[in-house]
Amino acid sequence: MSIGHDPDDLAYQASNQQEVRMSGQIRMRCRYKTLATPWFDYLMVSKDEMKPIVFPTGRKVCQYFDSDAPRPNYIAIIERTA
Protein backbone atom coordinates (compact mmCIF):
# COMPACT_ATOMS: atom_id res chain seq x y z
CA MET A 1 0.00 0.00 0.00
CA SER A 2 1.41 3.41 -0.88
CA ILE A 3 2.32 6.05 1.68
CA GLY A 4 -0.62 8.19 2.72
CA HIS A 5 -3.30 5.73 1.57
CA ASP A 6 -3.32 3.18 4.39
CA PRO A 7 -6.90 3.02 5.74
CA ASP A 8 -5.71 2.61 9.34
CA ASP A 9 -3.42 5.65 9.07
CA LEU A 10 -6.16 7.73 7.47
CA ALA A 11 -8.66 6.73 10.20
CA TYR A 12 -6.14 7.68 12.91
CA GLN A 13 -5.53 11.05 11.25
CA ALA A 14 -9.29 11.66 11.04
CA SER A 15 -9.71 10.90 14.74
CA ASN A 16 -6.85 13.30 15.52
CA GLN A 17 -8.61 16.05 13.55
CA GLN A 18 -11.81 15.48 15.54
CA GLU A 19 -9.81 15.83 18.77
CA VAL A 20 -8.00 18.97 17.45
CA ARG A 21 -4.64 17.23 17.31
CA MET A 22 -2.10 17.27 14.47
CA SER A 23 -2.58 14.46 11.95
CA GLY A 24 0.87 12.97 12.66
CA GLN A 25 0.50 13.12 16.44
CA ILE A 26 0.35 9.83 18.30
CA ARG A 27 -0.07 9.08 21.99
CA MET A 28 2.07 6.23 23.24
CA ARG A 29 3.94 4.68 26.10
CA CYS A 30 6.67 2.08 26.39
CA ARG A 31 6.02 -1.18 28.21
CA TYR A 32 8.21 -4.02 29.40
CA LYS A 33 6.58 -6.84 31.36
CA THR A 34 4.86 -5.10 34.30
CA LEU A 35 6.64 -1.74 33.82
CA ALA A 36 5.27 1.12 31.74
CA THR A 37 6.18 4.75 31.14
CA PRO A 38 3.59 7.50 31.46
CA TRP A 39 1.68 8.25 28.23
CA PHE A 40 3.39 10.87 26.03
CA ASP A 41 2.75 12.57 22.71
CA TYR A 42 4.96 11.79 19.74
CA LEU A 43 4.74 13.92 16.62
CA MET A 44 5.61 12.66 13.15
CA VAL A 45 5.90 15.48 10.61
CA SER A 46 7.58 16.13 7.30
CA LYS A 47 10.72 18.26 7.14
CA ASP A 48 8.66 21.13 5.70
CA GLU A 49 6.17 20.90 8.57
CA MET A 50 8.88 20.77 11.24
CA LYS A 51 10.53 24.15 10.62
CA PRO A 52 7.49 26.34 11.45
CA ILE A 53 6.77 24.18 14.51
CA VAL A 54 10.32 24.48 15.87
CA PHE A 55 11.00 28.15 15.02
CA PRO A 56 8.65 29.80 17.61
CA THR A 57 10.31 27.76 20.39
CA GLY A 58 13.64 29.57 19.96
CA ARG A 59 15.24 26.57 18.26
CA LYS A 60 16.27 25.64 14.73
CA VAL A 61 16.81 22.49 12.74
CA CYS A 62 20.56 22.20 12.20
CA GLN A 63 20.79 18.94 10.32
CA TYR A 64 18.72 16.06 8.97
CA PHE A 65 19.77 12.43 8.70
CA ASP A 66 17.68 10.57 6.14
CA SER A 67 16.77 6.89 6.36
CA ASP A 68 17.11 4.29 3.63
CA ALA A 69 13.78 2.77 4.74
CA PRO A 70 10.89 2.45 2.27
CA ARG A 71 9.02 5.24 4.06
CA PRO A 72 10.63 8.71 4.20
CA ASN A 73 11.96 8.65 7.77
CA TYR A 74 14.54 11.03 9.18
CA ILE A 75 16.15 12.25 12.37
CA ALA A 76 16.50 15.98 13.00
CA ILE A 77 19.14 17.67 15.13
CA ILE A 78 17.48 20.65 16.81
CA GLU A 79 19.43 23.30 18.69
CA ARG A 80 18.50 26.33 20.75
CA THR A 81 19.14 29.57 18.85
CA ALA A 82 19.60 31.87 21.86
Side-chain angles (χ1 to χ4, degrees):
M1 192 160 294
S2 64
I3 297 168
H5 295 90
D6 182 298
D8 293 330
D9 287 344
L10 295 174
Y12 195 90
Q13 290 174 21
S15 73
N16 272 352
Q17 289 176 346
Q18 289 177 345
E19 296 179 27
V20 191
R21 296 165 61 95
M22 296 184 72
S23 63
Q25 188 173 350
I26 61 174
R27 187 129 176 93
M28 62 186 284
R29 68 179 179 172
C30 300
R31 295 186 62 152
Y32 176 73
K33 296 186 180 186
T34 60
L35 304 173
T37 67
W39 288 94
F40 59 93
D41 289 317
Y42 190 91
L43 182 61
M44 295 181 284
V45 296
S46 70
K47 291 177 186 178
D48 290 337
E49 292 170 314
M50 180 174 290
K51 289 180 183 178
I53 293 169
V54 170
F55 180 75
T57 68
R59 292 165 175 79
K60 66 178 180 177
V61 178
C62 296
Q63 188 173 2
Y64 291 107
F65 294 94
D66 293 313
S67 168
D68 292 333
R71 289 189 175 213
N73 298 316
Y74 67 89
I75 294 172
I77 304 299
I78 301 169
E79 293 181 352
R80 192 175 307 216
T81 56

